[in-house]
Amino acid sequence: MIRSIQAAQRLDSRGHPTVQVDLTTDKGTFRATVPSGASTGANEAIELRDKDSSAYGGKGVGKAVSNIELVIGPALVQSGLKVDTHQKMIDCFLNNLDGTHNKSKLGANAILGVSMACARAGAAHLDIPLYEFLRRESGAKKPFVMPVPFFNVLNGGVHSGNKMAFQETMIAPVGASSFTEAVQMGSEVYQQLKKVIVKKFGPSATGVGHEGGFAPPISQPHEALDLLVEAVSLAGYTGRIKFAIDPASSEFFRNGNYDIGFKDDKPNLQSPKQLAELYRSLLQNYPIVLLEDPFAETDWDSWIEFNKNCPIELVGDDLLVTNTKYVQEANDKRACNSMLLKINQIGTISEAIEAANLAYSFDWSVFVSHRSGETTDDFIADLVVGLRAGHIKPGAPCRGERVVKDNRLMEIEAEILAREECIYAGSQFRVASKY
């Protein structure tokens, strides 16, 4: 039984307030801290902010905290719902308590914190790890599959101060033999990349963006990829590490065209067809295995046309916002073949699982992701294993709020291997759910 729920305002990795929840049962107190995004989809569940300019520049979350302590907490305690067996019922209860389609009354940040804490408490009451609790909730089979980490080692877009329009350029150690080796490979490439940047641009160019990736003075995607080619080669991993790009193109969509010079003084407008040709050129010249949000969330026609002959994983983020409504629409229109999963886009763990399972039913991939405004909560590490998703975006192999996910996944891998079989997704990351 849930005894009490308390909440507090804490800071995320960007220094903005976020919601922290402490849920107490007879098994102890279970904490969850909610992430927040900078590049957000228009249809995401609503993150409730105070908009009081006298505190935190209007970004405070005091209202969300108050809603937990005065509305959600008392109602959930009184409901008698059990954390070990009622996760879906609890999440449904929270949604009904809010009563809006986008969680705008109580706040998705308030609701998600409680949902996460309930899942942690549920696992403890069943005396099982959180990843096993989430596996049971999702219906995923065994053996467990460890994900390929897609490290965001070069930051651009709204995540950094350089002139690069594309938001993320990632490395994926698909040639590793385990998650632990993948972390070593990613870390070594990251350190080599730093040396390459210092050599080319000087020490001052090694500042990092929101997600821990470097943000050197580059503006073109091929410049970023060339840096990665060199760093991977120096680390000795050519052929074993692949690349991925998340342009986050909704951020530079302007009246039907794409301004890839939006961070520069000179606009550089590309038509959707021109941008598609740019992507195809990059795919031909670099070992890219995944492309996320190459077109804006409202530019369905470009998604559909590109997906007709896209040879790699095509991930919808802003397009889908971890919502079954948009996942269904994208499948009906044949707009993409993969869903990015961000728990705060939808606001409850059960709904995130439901969206993942719907994507799987279409033979899609599911790519679990952090947010730019992260916390040291490692929930998504357990989630990616529980869902058998096969790949995860934890950020760069640097900064505490990013590496806490990597460290938790290494712990999970060691824990599972001590008692049963465990597979590293490797080059099969797209189909990990089918192993």
Side-chain angles (χ1 to χ4, degrees), residues 9-19 34 36-38 47 49 56-57 59-61 210 373-375:
Q9 190 165 236
R10 297 293 183 258
L11 296 182
D12 69 18
S13 59
R14 298 167 305 175
H16 294 325
T18 190
V19 174
V34 179
S36 173
E47 179 184 71
R49 297 280 180 181
Y56 291 109
K59 293 184 179 293
V61 292
H210 286 177
E374 259 301 335
T375 75

Side-chain angles (χ1 to χ4, degrees), residues 194-255:
K194 183 176 183 178
K195 294 177 183 178
V196 170
I197 291 171
V198 169
K199 183 179 179 181
K200 289 183 181 295
F201 305 107
S204 63
T206 57
V208 299
H210 286 177
E211 297 179 356
F214 297 114
I218 56 176
S219 61
Q220 301 302 315
H222 69 84
E223 294 179 282
L225 292 162
D226 286 341
L227 289 173
L228 295 192
V229 168
E230 185 173 353
V232 168
S233 176
L234 288 171
Y237 294 126
T238 300
R240 297 180 66 194
I241 288 182
K242 305 298 184 182
F243 301 160
I245 302 174
D246 172 16
S249 56
S250 291
E251 297 292 339
F252 51 89
F253 189 52
R254 307 284 189 270
N255 300 315

Side-chain angles (χ1 to χ4, degrees), residues 82-135:
K82 299 178 180 179
V83 291
D84 51 349
T85 55
H86 291 163
Q87 181 72 40
K88 291 179 184 176
M89 293 173 64
I90 288 170
D91 289 341
C92 184
F93 179 86
L94 295 173
N95 284 332
N96 290 336
L97 197 63
D98 176 86
T100 68
H101 75 284
N102 59 3
K103 301 178 176 65
S104 57
K105 180 181 177 182
L106 298 176
N109 43 350
I111 291 171
L112 178 60
V114 175
S115 180
M116 292 167 67
C118 284
R120 280 209 167 96
H125 276 251
L126 292 171
D127 197 26
I128 57 176
L130 178 57
Y131 58 84
E132 170 63 11
F133 178 84
L134 296 169
R135 185 192 71 81

Side-chain angles (χ1 to χ4, degrees), residues 135 138-150 313 337-338 356-357 360 363-368 383-392 422-435:
R135 185 192 71 81
S138 71
K141 60 183 181 179
K142 285 188 174 183
F144 286 108
V145 176
M146 297 304 299
V148 174
F150 279 63
E313 182 171 344
N337 58 40
S338 178
N357 283 338
Y360 287 149
D363 284 331
W364 285 17
S365 307
V366 171
F367 191 20
V368 174
L383 182 63
V384 70
V385 175
L387 289 178
R388 240 177 179 235
H391 47 331
I392 184 173
C422 179
I423 302 169
Y424 176 64
S427 61
Q428 301 301 304
F429 62 88
R430 290 183 64 180
V431 294
S433 65
K434 300 177 183 177
Y435 267 119

Side-chain angles (χ1 to χ4, degrees), residues 274-411:
Q274 288 174 316
L275 188 61
E277 283 305 313
L278 172 59
Y279 294 139
R280 291 191 183 97
S281 174
L282 296 175
L283 295 185
Q284 288 175 357
N285 292 301
Y286 300 94
I288 297 169
V289 294
L290 181 150
L291 185 59
E292 177 190 332
D293 273 8
F295 303 102
E297 61 197 294
T298 56
D299 190 8
W300 285 91
D301 289 344
S302 295
W303 280 92
I304 294 164
E305 183 62 29
F306 194 82
N307 192 39
K308 288 178 180 177
N309 57 6
C310 180
I312 64 170
E313 182 171 344
L314 185 60
V315 185
D317 176 12
D318 291 349
L319 188 75
L320 307 175
V321 293
T322 318
N323 188 313
T324 54
K325 174 184 176 182
Y326 302 108
V327 172
Q328 183 67 58
E329 182 178 0
N331 183 69
D332 291 343
K333 294 179 176 179
R334 300 293 184 265
C336 59
N337 58 40
S338 178
M339 181 192 84
L340 197 72
L341 189 156
K342 293 175 174 174
I343 51 177
N344 80 317
Q345 284 183 329
I346 192 63
T348 68
I349 299 307
S350 297
E351 287 171 290
I353 291 172
E354 182 184 6
N357 283 338
L358 181 62
Y360 287 149
S361 76
F362 298 144
D363 284 331
W364 285 17
S365 307
V366 171
F367 191 20
V368 174
S369 178
H370 63 167
R371 297 308 302 254
S372 59
E374 259 301 335
T375 75
T376 50
D377 192 307
D378 56 15
F379 192 98
I380 62 169
D382 286 75
L383 182 63
V384 70
V385 175
L387 289 178
R388 240 177 179 235
H391 47 331
I392 184 173
K393 284 210 297 185
C398 117
R399 293 175 50 141
E401 78 280 359
R402 311 297 160 182
V403 299
V404 70
K405 281 74 168 171
D406 303 323
N407 290 339
R408 172 60 183 154
L409 280 162
M410 287 190 284
E411 291 172 1

